[in-house]
Amino acid sequence: MRFAYDLYGLKHAVDVQKLLIDRIKHPETFPGAMYEVRVAAALLRAGCTLELQDETDRRTTHVEFIATNAQSGATFAVEAKRREGARMKINRQMYRALSKHSEHPRIVFIDTNDCRLELGRNRAAPVALVEAEGQLDRYERDPIGKTLPQAYVIATFEPAEHHLDAVDLPSGMLLWGFHFDDLRPGLKTLLQQVEMRRRHSPIFALLESMEKHQHVPVTFDGEADAYLGSASKTRLKVGQRLEVPGPDGTHIEVTLEDGTVVPSWKAASCVVRSDDGKRFIVQVPLTDEDLQAYAQHPATFFGTVDRNAGRKQLKTALDAFDFIWESCKDTKKEELLERLKSAPDWAWLASLSQHEVATHYCVRMAENLMHEIENSAAVTGLDGP
């Protein structure tokens, strides 16, 4: 199913060359072609346009395709490589990918093609990706590796083809900045993490999209899976007319203005407005289908975009920064400086641009927030957020 969905996306965005179709039809070249299609589809879903390269042109070497991010305008030369055989040979895959001519920054996707399911579950990172990281680190310092150009390397672990009858399969991705010093593993301050992510924003946006689109959608109109085939689709939507008990207990018609789902109650706490302009809160029971739909698409459950609904738990300082940045990024510089008036480096902050001041403000607030959360967890004996 995943391959069919990827091929569908590629077919409707670019002209799939005859060479690729022939490779898909041939048993020996099918696995590599399948991964190339998967990579292309991932880039398309991330908002890139693709230009497939004519690899039959023998006058020069060619990367597999050129990807251009529609939002940022960043253009990359993309290679998709797949491990074949019992051993992972990162050096061979990297050399073949990076020795090709290109005028653009490079992205190399590597399929670890690892079937060890037991070494992928219940771990911080699948063993296949840990092994890939070690090989990339060594090859970057290898005499031949040192001669190769910079590249963003995205290693993937997706064992589905080796376990066709299994469900709830683990998966994972590894980003390695080949010859990018700031992307190397190591301790970084929160400000350094924020600035690093901004310098490489198209790549981090691509990874976010790949994580978001791990699963094949059941429909193409955004309908939640839980509602498919359901005889009752009484989904709550802002602006909808409802009949609910009024403040005096009698049933009246109201307009739904806002709502919050409380899964533990199996209900939604809804703000409604009566025809005479009075607002009050009512509890609307939810079915199991409703709760499943909310779990899948919490931000749009009520028919509008609520960025706070279903927001992921704050586990890192970077999560906290993103949470605070969403509400403070456009705050006027003067207001931010007023909030920072007790900072010892206030004069230096005042010399910065609004964007820079907002960044420093959100970094400091995020660090304070995480410090408070950690202290609270220590006092209560919990493990943290």
Side-chain angles (χ1 to χ4, degrees):
M1 180 185 291
R2 174 64 181 270
F3 177 59
Y5 177 54
D6 290 339
L7 193 59
Y8 170 85
L10 186 61
K11 176 65 176 178
H12 285 73
V14 296
D15 294 327
V16 181
Q17 293 181 338
K18 183 178 183 298
L19 174 62
L20 182 56
I21 296 297
D22 289 343
R23 289 176 60 204
I24 290 173
K25 292 179 179 179
H26 199 287
E28 292 183 359
T29 55
F30 173 78
M34 179 178 66
Y35 189 61
E36 187 175 331
V37 169
R38 178 166 298 178
V39 168
L43 288 162
L44 289 166
R45 286 191 285 266
C48 294
T49 58
L50 298 184
E51 178 186 347
L52 293 175
Q53 301 296 286
D54 182 6
E55 296 188 67
T56 61
D57 181 0
R58 301 303 180 186
R59 292 173 296 179
T60 185
T61 56
H62 296 276
V63 296
E64 276 149 351
F65 40 79
I66 303 297
T68 301
N69 184 281
Q71 183 174 2
S72 68
T75 299
F76 299 94
V78 181
E79 279 283 302
K81 297 299 181 184
R82 174 184 164 93
R83 165 191 172 182
E84 298 295 349
R87 296 179 58 193
M88 191 182 306
K89 300 177 181 178
I90 292 290
N91 55 346
R92 178 183 299 179
Q93 294 167 322
M94 290 291 290
Y95 183 79
R96 289 177 175 175
L98 298 182
S99 59
K100 295 182 179 181
H101 171 74
S102 178
E103 298 177 354
H104 305 291
R106 300 163 187 264
I107 304 176
V108 179
F109 286 84
I110 297 178
D111 178 8
T112 57
N113 187 23
D114 196 292
C115 65
R116 296 174 294 176
L117 190 61
E118 70 281 3
L119 297 181
R121 294 189 187 277
N122 303 320
R123 295 173 180 266
V127 169
L129 297 182
V130 174
E131 294 174 350
E133 183 178 32
Q135 291 193 33
L136 285 165
D137 183 34
R138 290 190 293 273
Y139 190 57
E140 191 168 356
R141 293 179 276 112
D142 181 88
I144 295 178
K146 288 180 179 180
T147 67
L148 298 175
Q150 287 183 323
Y152 298 102
V153 183
I154 301 176
T156 58
F157 171 70
E158 296 179 354
E161 66 181 272
H162 300 286
H163 304 275
L164 298 179
D165 295 330
V167 296
D168 192 25
L169 290 168
S171 62
M173 294 181 291
L174 164 71
L175 171 64
W176 182 270
F178 192 76
H179 295 322
F180 284 100
D181 291 340
D182 62 339
L183 284 175
R184 290 189 63 82
L187 292 176
K188 297 179 177 67
T189 66
L190 177 54
L191 182 60
Q192 288 172 332
Q193 293 178 58
V194 170
E195 292 176 339
M196 175 194 71
R197 193 174 58 176
R198 287 175 176 171
R199 282 193 296 273
H200 307 284
S201 57
I203 298 301
F204 282 95
L206 170 60
L207 292 174
E208 183 179 354
S209 174
M210 291 175 66
E211 183 177 0
K212 179 181 178 182
H213 298 103
Q214 288 185 62
H215 304 291
V216 179
V218 178
T219 68
F220 290 104
D221 62 0
E223 180 70 282
D225 299 357
Y227 289 137
L228 293 178
S230 173
S232 174
K233 293 188 179 182
T234 57
R235 176 179 168 182
L236 296 172
K237 292 185 178 181
V238 170
Q240 179 181 354
R241 298 286 288 175
L242 302 172
E243 184 175 306
V244 300
D248 61 357
T250 60
H251 280 70
I252 59 173
E253 281 201 351
V254 296
T255 301
L256 175 61
E257 290 194 331
D258 198 1
T260 300
V261 173
V262 185
S264 60
W265 296 354
K266 295 191 70 172
S269 182
C270 298
V271 178
V272 297
R273 185 188 73 248
S274 61
D275 292 341
D276 58 5
K278 295 180 180 178
R279 289 180 174 83
F280 55 97
I281 297 176
V282 296
Q283 305 298 322
V284 179
L286 298 178
T287 65
D288 290 339
E289 291 174 346
D290 294 326
L291 293 173
Q292 292 172 23
Y294 174 76
Q296 185 179 7
H297 300 302
T300 55
F301 180 78
F302 290 98
T304 58
V305 178
D306 180 359
R307 299 189 182 279
N308 288 318
R311 182 181 290 276
K312 66 179 182 180
Q313 196 174 20
L314 302 183
K315 295 183 178 180
T316 67
L318 197 57
D319 293 338
F321 173 86
D322 291 337
F323 176 76
I324 299 170
W325 178 258
E326 195 65 36
S327 60
C328 295
K329 60 184 177 181
D330 297 321
T331 303
K332 291 182 179 180
K333 176 180 175 179
E334 293 75 18
E335 183 177 340
L336 292 170
L337 289 172
E338 176 62 25
R339 298 179 189 179
L340 292 165
K341 61 184 179 182
S342 61
D345 56 350
W346 186 91
W348 173 74
L349 290 169
S351 69
L352 304 179
S353 67
Q354 184 278 337
H355 183 79
E356 291 170 323
V357 174
T359 298
H360 281 276
Y361 174 77
C362 292
V363 163
R364 297 177 191 196
M365 293 302 103
E367 290 173 336
N368 289 339
L369 175 59
M370 295 307 296
H371 183 67
E372 291 177 5
I373 291 175
E374 290 167 1
N375 285 342
S376 176
V379 170
T380 59
L382 300 176
D383 294 328

